[in-house]
Amino acid sequence: MEARDAGLTERLRRMAERALELARVRLELLGVELQAELLRLFGVLTALLLALLLGVAALLMLVFAALLWVPDGWRAPVGAGLGVAFLAGAGLCWWWARRALAAGRPFAASAAELARDQRAFGPDDAGGRP
């Protein structure tokens, strides 16, 4: 009877070790994905900030040059046209940023692995593991 209990204890110990190893691997994957997501977001924010700064500087120079270049009677229509063009550019930048942020699903690999684990250890498993 003691040999049977020792065998059961050993199997339980091995199962606990495997569960801990599985949890460790899943947490490492989650950490790697978190780092990748942070790098992606930092890259997008950096690019947007740089585009904003350079765009504002260039637009100010162009607006002043254009308004000084045109005759007095044309300054109001040219200013309105430039304003519409800037608004269209801002809308395009907004669309691009939303698309870039929506492109990635954070932690997709971790969620897929956890779903696979849940299916493997689920109640519908009748003990016939390969």
Side-chain angles (χ1 to χ4, degrees):
M1 189 70 158
E2 281 184 32
R4 192 169 147 195
D5 288 341
L8 179 61
T9 304
E10 181 63 24
R11 277 189 257 153
L12 287 174
R13 186 187 61 77
R14 282 192 309 237
M15 281 179 55
E17 285 176 358
R18 288 181 184 150
L20 287 174
E21 178 67 18
L22 184 66
R24 185 187 64 78
V25 168
R26 296 306 183 244
L27 286 174
E28 284 178 6
L29 177 62
L30 186 65
V32 167
E33 285 186 326
L34 178 62
Q35 231 175 5
E37 189 65 21
L38 288 175
L39 284 173
R40 184 179 74 87
L41 288 175
F42 182 74
V44 167
L45 289 176
T46 302
L48 284 174
L49 181 62
L50 183 61
L52 178 68
L53 291 174
L54 292 174
V56 166
L59 290 177
L60 284 174
M61 288 183 205
L62 287 172
V63 166
F64 288 138
L67 291 178
L68 289 174
W69 181 61
V70 296
D72 289 340
W74 284 83
R75 287 189 181 157
V78 169
L82 288 173
V84 169
F86 296 155
L87 187 60
L92 187 63
C93 289
W94 180 264
W95 170 79
W96 176 83
R98 287 188 58 163
R99 195 177 115 222
L101 290 175
R105 187 175 147 225
F107 314 115
S110 291
E113 287 296 319
L114 289 173
R116 195 184 86 188
D117 293 344
Q118 187 178 14
R119 283 192 308 273
F121 294 117
D124 51 338
D125 188 8
R129 290 188 182 125

